[in-house]
Amino acid sequence: MIQLQKAPPSSFDAIYSLLERSFPPDERRSYEGQKALLLEPNYAIYTTKTDGDNCEALLTVWQFPTFAYVEHFAVDPACRGQGLGSQMLNALKTMLPCPICLEVELPETDFARRRIGFYQRNGFFLNEYPYLQPAYGPGKAPVPLLLMTSGGPISPEQFDTMKTALYETVYRQKPR
Protein backbone atom coordinates (compact mmCIF):
# COMPACT_ATOMS: atom_id res chain seq x y z
CA MET A 1 0.00 0.00 0.00
CA ILE A 2 1.23 3.47 -0.79
CA GLN A 3 1.66 6.17 1.80
CA LEU A 4 0.28 9.64 1.40
CA GLN A 5 2.45 12.49 2.58
CA LYS A 6 1.63 16.12 3.20
CA ALA A 7 3.13 18.08 0.35
CA PRO A 8 5.85 20.52 1.37
CA PRO A 9 5.25 24.16 0.36
CA SER A 10 8.29 23.92 -1.94
CA SER A 11 6.35 21.52 -4.22
CA PHE A 12 3.45 23.92 -4.75
CA ASP A 13 4.37 24.86 -8.35
CA ALA A 14 4.43 21.19 -9.42
CA ILE A 15 1.13 20.61 -7.64
CA TYR A 16 -0.53 23.61 -9.27
CA SER A 17 0.76 22.49 -12.66
CA LEU A 18 -1.04 19.15 -12.23
CA LEU A 19 -4.21 20.97 -11.10
CA GLU A 20 -4.10 23.16 -14.23
CA ARG A 21 -3.72 20.12 -16.48
CA SER A 22 -6.44 18.15 -14.70
CA PHE A 23 -9.26 20.66 -14.09
CA PRO A 24 -10.94 23.26 -16.31
CA PRO A 25 -10.67 26.88 -15.09
CA ASP A 26 -14.20 26.90 -13.60
CA GLU A 27 -13.27 23.93 -11.38
CA ARG A 28 -10.14 25.33 -9.75
CA ARG A 29 -8.80 28.44 -8.05
CA SER A 30 -6.26 30.89 -9.38
CA TYR A 31 -2.61 30.24 -8.54
CA GLU A 32 -2.70 32.88 -5.79
CA GLY A 33 -6.02 31.63 -4.42
CA GLN A 34 -4.80 28.04 -4.30
CA LYS A 35 -1.52 29.00 -2.66
CA ALA A 36 -3.34 31.02 0.01
CA LEU A 37 -5.07 27.82 1.15
CA LEU A 38 -1.76 26.54 2.48
CA LEU A 39 -2.38 28.84 5.47
CA GLU A 40 -5.74 27.21 6.27
CA PRO A 41 -5.43 24.96 9.35
CA ASN A 42 -8.02 22.41 8.19
CA TYR A 43 -6.68 22.12 4.61
CA ALA A 44 -3.92 19.83 3.37
CA ILE A 45 -2.45 18.64 0.09
CA TYR A 46 -1.43 14.99 0.05
CA THR A 47 0.79 13.47 -2.62
CA THR A 48 2.43 10.15 -3.29
CA LYS A 49 5.64 11.90 -4.23
CA THR A 50 6.88 15.06 -5.84
CA ASP A 51 10.28 15.70 -7.29
CA GLY A 52 11.25 19.12 -8.49
CA ASP A 53 8.84 20.05 -11.25
CA ASN A 54 6.75 16.87 -11.19
CA CYS A 55 3.83 15.69 -9.11
CA GLU A 56 2.47 12.24 -9.99
CA ALA A 57 -0.77 12.50 -8.01
CA LEU A 58 -2.50 14.65 -5.41
CA LEU A 59 -5.48 14.92 -3.10
CA THR A 60 -6.50 18.28 -1.64
CA VAL A 61 -8.47 17.68 1.55
CA TRP A 62 -10.49 19.80 3.96
CA GLN A 63 -11.04 18.27 7.42
CA PHE A 64 -14.34 19.08 9.15
CA PRO A 65 -15.49 17.89 12.59
CA THR A 66 -17.64 15.05 11.20
CA PHE A 67 -16.32 14.45 7.67
CA ALA A 68 -13.51 15.17 5.22
CA TYR A 69 -13.93 16.72 1.80
CA VAL A 70 -11.69 15.95 -1.17
CA GLU A 71 -11.71 19.16 -3.18
CA HIS A 72 -9.33 17.96 -5.90
CA PHE A 73 -8.00 14.53 -6.82
CA ALA A 74 -5.69 14.20 -9.79
CA VAL A 75 -3.30 11.62 -11.20
CA ASP A 76 -0.80 12.63 -13.86
CA PRO A 77 -1.86 11.08 -17.19
CA ALA A 78 1.51 9.30 -17.43
CA CYS A 79 0.74 7.48 -14.16
CA ARG A 80 -2.89 6.50 -14.85
CA GLY A 81 -4.09 2.96 -15.32
CA GLN A 82 -1.70 1.49 -12.74
CA GLY A 83 -4.03 1.46 -9.72
CA LEU A 84 -2.48 4.56 -8.15
CA GLY A 85 -5.81 6.38 -7.78
CA SER A 86 -7.46 3.44 -6.01
CA GLN A 87 -4.46 3.05 -3.73
CA MET A 88 -4.60 6.75 -2.85
CA LEU A 89 -8.30 6.61 -2.00
CA ASN A 90 -7.79 3.52 0.17
CA ALA A 91 -4.85 5.17 1.94
CA LEU A 92 -6.96 8.28 2.57
CA LYS A 93 -9.86 6.23 3.96
CA THR A 94 -7.43 4.45 6.29
CA MET A 95 -5.81 7.72 7.37
CA LEU A 96 -9.09 9.57 8.01
CA PRO A 97 -11.51 7.61 10.19
CA CYS A 98 -14.57 9.60 9.11
CA PRO A 99 -16.89 9.80 6.10
CA ILE A 100 -15.24 11.35 3.04
CA CYS A 101 -17.16 13.30 0.43
CA LEU A 102 -16.21 14.58 -3.00
CA GLU A 103 -17.88 16.24 -5.96
CA VAL A 104 -18.44 14.64 -9.37
CA GLU A 105 -19.87 15.82 -12.65
CA LEU A 106 -23.44 14.88 -13.50
CA PRO A 107 -23.54 11.44 -15.22
CA GLU A 108 -24.31 12.97 -18.62
CA THR A 109 -21.17 11.90 -20.51
CA ASP A 110 -19.27 8.63 -20.82
CA PHE A 111 -16.28 10.26 -19.08
CA ALA A 112 -18.41 11.39 -16.12
CA ARG A 113 -20.08 7.97 -15.84
CA ARG A 114 -16.65 6.25 -15.88
CA ARG A 115 -15.40 8.59 -13.13
CA ILE A 116 -18.48 7.86 -11.00
CA GLY A 117 -17.94 4.13 -11.61
CA PHE A 118 -14.31 4.46 -10.48
CA TYR A 119 -15.41 6.03 -7.20
CA GLN A 120 -18.17 3.44 -6.73
CA ARG A 121 -15.64 0.61 -7.20
CA ASN A 122 -13.61 2.32 -4.46
CA GLY A 123 -16.43 2.37 -1.91
CA PHE A 124 -18.13 5.69 -2.63
CA PHE A 125 -21.87 6.17 -3.06
CA LEU A 126 -23.58 8.62 -5.42
CA ASN A 127 -26.01 10.94 -3.62
CA GLU A 128 -28.51 12.41 -6.06
CA TYR A 129 -29.35 15.61 -4.20
CA PRO A 130 -29.21 18.78 -6.33
CA TYR A 131 -25.89 20.53 -5.72
CA LEU A 132 -24.27 23.53 -7.39
CA GLN A 133 -20.56 24.12 -6.82
CA PRO A 134 -20.24 27.88 -6.31
CA ALA A 135 -18.01 29.83 -8.68
CA TYR A 136 -14.35 29.77 -7.69
CA GLY A 137 -14.01 33.48 -8.34
CA PRO A 138 -14.87 36.42 -10.58
CA GLY A 139 -15.37 35.41 -14.20
CA LYS A 140 -15.82 31.74 -13.28
CA ALA A 141 -19.12 29.90 -13.51
CA PRO A 142 -20.85 27.76 -10.90
CA VAL A 143 -20.87 24.07 -11.84
CA PRO A 144 -23.75 21.59 -11.32
CA LEU A 145 -22.30 18.53 -9.58
CA LEU A 146 -23.27 15.69 -7.26
CA LEU A 147 -21.72 14.57 -3.98
CA MET A 148 -20.33 11.09 -3.46
CA THR A 149 -19.60 9.78 0.03
CA SER A 150 -17.63 6.91 1.52
CA GLY A 151 -19.34 4.52 3.90
CA GLY A 152 -22.78 4.72 2.32
CA PRO A 153 -25.39 7.13 1.05
CA ILE A 154 -26.25 10.14 3.20
CA SER A 155 -29.59 11.43 4.46
CA PRO A 156 -31.02 14.77 3.36
CA GLU A 157 -30.00 16.20 6.75
CA GLN A 158 -26.40 14.96 6.36
CA PHE A 159 -26.34 16.41 2.83
CA ASP A 160 -27.50 19.81 4.12
CA THR A 161 -24.81 19.74 6.84
CA MET A 162 -22.08 18.90 4.31
CA LYS A 163 -23.33 21.43 1.78
CA THR A 164 -23.44 24.20 4.39
CA ALA A 165 -19.90 23.40 5.57
CA LEU A 166 -18.57 23.31 2.00
CA TYR A 167 -20.26 26.55 0.96
CA GLU A 168 -19.19 28.47 4.07
CA THR A 169 -15.64 27.16 4.51
CA VAL A 170 -14.40 26.03 1.10
CA TYR A 171 -16.23 28.49 -1.16
CA ARG A 172 -16.78 31.29 1.39
CA GLN A 173 -20.42 31.70 0.38
CA LYS A 174 -23.83 31.32 2.00
CA PRO A 175 -25.66 28.08 1.09
CA ARG A 176 -28.38 28.36 -1.53
Side-chain angles (χ1 to χ4, degrees):
M1 175 178 255
I2 64 161
Q3 286 211 317
L4 297 177
Q5 58 191 19
K6 278 193 177 181
S10 61
S11 65
F12 182 78
D13 286 346
I15 287 166
Y16 194 76
S17 175
L18 181 56
L19 282 173
E20 280 186 309
R21 289 180 280 135
S22 302
F23 294 92
D26 284 339
E27 294 180 26
R28 61 181 156 80
R29 290 181 173 77
S30 66
Y31 178 92
E32 296 78 16
Q34 192 71 41
K35 194 165 192 174
L37 293 181
L38 298 177
L39 301 175
E40 292 284 338
N42 60 341
Y43 176 84
I45 301 172
Y46 296 99
T47 61
T48 51
K49 71 177 182 180
T50 56
D51 61 15
D53 297 332
N54 298 314
C55 174
E56 69 178 13
L58 64 87
L59 288 158
T60 64
V61 179
W62 291 83
Q63 185 70 52
F64 293 93
T66 59
F67 72 98
Y69 165 62
V70 174
E71 184 174 7
H72 291 106
F73 176 33
V75 176
D76 187 286
C79 299
R80 290 183 189 156
Q82 301 168 28
L84 181 60
S86 293
Q87 290 177 54
M88 289 180 73
L89 287 175
N90 286 325
L92 186 67
K93 288 190 289 188
T94 299
M95 186 173 72
L96 302 176
C98 63
I100 299 169
C101 79
L102 49 85
E103 299 164 335
V104 292
E105 294 92 350
L106 301 176
E108 297 172 343
T109 66
D110 285 340
F111 185 74
R113 286 188 287 275
R114 281 195 312 272
R115 179 173 287 142
I116 290 167
F118 165 79
Y119 288 122
Q120 288 171 326
R121 287 189 302 279
N122 283 282
F124 284 79
F125 296 81
L126 185 63
N127 298 282
E128 304 224 12
Y129 305 111
Y131 177 82
L132 187 66
Q133 177 193 57
Y136 266 114
K140 296 189 181 218
V143 181
L145 300 171
L146 294 172
L147 292 184
M148 294 189 78
T149 50
S150 66
I154 55 175
S155 69
E157 294 79 20
Q158 290 169 307
F159 171 77
D160 287 339
T161 297
M162 286 181 174
K163 178 181 172 181
T164 298
L166 296 178
Y167 271 53
E168 291 177 352
T169 302
V170 176
Y171 300 107
R172 310 258 195 288
Q173 295 190 18
K174 293 199 182 294
R176 297 176 183 195

